Amino acid sequence: MIHDPAGRTTSRTVLSTDSVDHADRREFWTRAVSQTYVDLQCEVPGSSAAAASIDGSIEAAQLVTLGLSKVTATAQSVLRTPAGIARTSDDYFLVSVQNRGNGFVVQDDRIARLEPGDFAMYDTTRPYELHFADNFEQYVLRLPGSTLRTLVRNTADLTARRVPSAQGAGKLLLTMVRTLLDDTEIATQSAEALAQSVEYLVVAGLSGFTGLDAPPPQLAARRLAAIKQEIRARIRDPDLSVASVAATLHLSPSTLHRAFADEPCSASEWIWTQRLDGTRRELVDPTLSNISISDIAFGWGFSDAAHFSRAFRARFGCSPSDYRRSALG
């Protein structure tokens, strides 16, 4: 981690098979990809185990809870097996953005063929396969599973689906990830917003498979907007609840719940999401570094520090203290 007086920070690693003997490269590469992502098995198609070799490098950076990496390597198959899941049951969504060569993502009985500029998502909690018949280069995103599930419904229906480069989201995602990895110094105040922007581009690309781009009827849209506005206005109130919001807006609780029927999460979950996102923003604000984590949590309506810590870890994949430390040092 490197810091400078302007508040910029970067955290990145580079792993390359150039650092080891030829005979040790396949084993080294398997450890490198497992260290960067999740427990994985790497094979070379058409080669015996003794003769198999993989050459490659991984440049990885961490932007708050979002993992960014560039993989440049020779032909291989990468397998997330049931045994690997049993060893490390990490809950992430990975997004492969093809930059050079072609690749295949296989999961949930679907196959996505990726050409330069295309991307596809896959879930580390279930088996998947990646296949590359020749040299390739990919950018890979690693998002906490709980975070994406609050943004998109039915994620199991979205794995191994090709989002083509011709779509606006595909073009923007490739450009943004490439820029972020090339930028050696990112302002801490911008890191959280940039990470969210990448998440939203992924969601935008997947929206065509979910119908998220279809607007609800006008009345339902206005009602949902009014509910969210009321929640945001009172989000720091520890007594905020679905029932109290419904009473203020002269709605029944069941009507309020139905307003969220087409949303990725329920009304109660949306309240918690807004509070957790609020604490996340303040934890990476250098001007608030002298305020304790508990005080920040209580300021966003949480009444129990232990419950807040568990909820934060469940949503973002790390504790509040680790999150603040990774951003502010």
Side-chain angles (χ1 to χ4, degrees), residues 61-145:
Q62 190 70 28
L63 190 62
V64 195
T65 58
L66 174 68
L68 302 168
S69 58
K70 180 172 71 174
V71 182
T72 306
T74 54
Q76 61 187 278
S77 293
V78 181
L79 311 176
R80 176 68 163 160
T81 65
I85 293 170
R87 285 191 293 269
T88 59
S89 57
D90 299 311
D91 181 10
Y92 294 108
F93 285 98
L94 300 181
V95 179
S96 288
V97 188
Q98 199 73 20
N99 194 42
R100 291 206 311 263
N102 298 321
F104 293 86
V105 176
V106 182
Q107 191 172 48
D108 298 322
D109 297 321
R110 288 186 292 271
I111 301 175
R113 184 180 189 275
L114 302 183
E115 298 181 350
D118 299 342
F119 76 81
M121 182 182 76
Y122 38 106
D123 185 345
T124 67
T125 65
R126 299 194 305 282
Y128 66 79
E129 301 175 12
L130 309 177
H131 298 285
F132 307 96
D134 208 337
N135 296 350
F136 70 95
E137 184 173 272
Q138 277 191 342
Y139 292 99
V140 181
L141 313 178
R142 191 179 76 169
L143 299 84

Side-chain angles (χ1 to χ4, degrees), residues 276-316:
L276 288 167
D277 286 347
T279 61
R280 179 170 73 162
R281 289 191 297 271
E282 292 195 355
L283 287 173
V284 300
D285 186 343
T287 66
L288 302 178
S289 60
N290 61 326
I291 299 179
S292 71
I293 292 175
S294 294
D295 285 345
I296 288 176
F298 295 152
W300 280 93
F302 290 94
S303 56
D304 183 279
H307 174 261
F308 162 70
S309 183
R310 289 193 298 270
F312 192 97
R313 181 184 291 276
R315 174 158 168 76
F316 301 117

Side-chain angles (χ1 to χ4, degrees), residues 239-253:
D239 295 324
L240 175 67
S241 67
V242 169
S244 66
V245 172
T248 300
L249 297 175
H250 305 290
L251 301 172
S252 69

Side-chain angles (χ1 to χ4, degrees), residues 68-278:
L68 302 168
S69 58
K70 180 172 71 174
V71 182
T72 306
T74 54
Q76 61 187 278
S77 293
V78 181
L79 311 176
R80 176 68 163 160
T81 65
I85 293 170
R87 285 191 293 269
T88 59
S89 57
D90 299 311
D91 181 10
Y92 294 108
F93 285 98
L94 300 181
V95 179
S96 288
V97 188
Q98 199 73 20
N99 194 42
R100 291 206 311 263
N102 298 321
F104 293 86
V105 176
V106 182
Q107 191 172 48
D108 298 322
D109 297 321
R110 288 186 292 271
I111 301 175
R113 184 180 189 275
L114 302 183
E115 298 181 350
D118 299 342
F119 76 81
M121 182 182 76
Y122 38 106
D123 185 345
T124 67
T125 65
R126 299 194 305 282
Y128 66 79
E129 301 175 12
L130 309 177
H131 298 285
F132 307 96
D134 208 337
N135 296 350
F136 70 95
E137 184 173 272
Q138 277 191 342
Y139 292 99
V140 181
L141 313 178
R142 191 179 76 169
L143 299 84
S146 54
T147 299
L148 192 66
R149 291 189 187 93
T150 63
L151 299 175
V152 181
R153 294 188 304 159
N154 303 325
T155 53
D157 295 332
L158 303 178
T159 55
R161 292 191 182 274
R162 170 179 168 265
V163 178
S165 59
Q167 289 189 10
K171 287 183 179 179
L172 288 172
L173 186 62
L174 179 60
T175 300
M176 176 173 279
V177 174
R178 184 186 292 143
T179 301
L180 289 175
L181 274 173
D182 289 343
D183 189 351
T184 58
E185 294 177 338
I186 297 173
T188 56
Q189 293 142 303
S190 304
E192 192 268 343
L194 288 170
Q196 282 194 345
S197 296
V198 172
E199 293 168 2
Y200 293 153
L201 279 176
V202 172
V203 172
L206 296 171
S207 64
F209 302 113
T210 64
L212 293 177
D213 52 348
Q218 187 176 21
L219 178 60
R222 287 202 302 266
R223 174 174 289 167
L224 182 61
I227 293 169
K228 289 185 174 181
Q229 181 179 356
E230 176 65 19
I231 290 173
R232 290 192 186 98
R234 297 173 49 196
I235 196 66
R236 292 177 180 269
D237 180 0
D239 295 324
L240 175 67
S241 67
V242 169
S244 66
V245 172
T248 300
L249 297 175
H250 305 290
L251 301 172
S252 69
S254 61
T255 297
L256 190 149
H257 283 299
R258 282 197 300 272
F260 279 80
D262 292 327
E263 293 291 287
C265 57
S266 68
S268 298
E269 290 168 340
W270 198 80
I271 291 173
W272 289 114
T273 295
Q274 297 305 300
R275 285 176 165 168
L276 288 167
D277 286 347

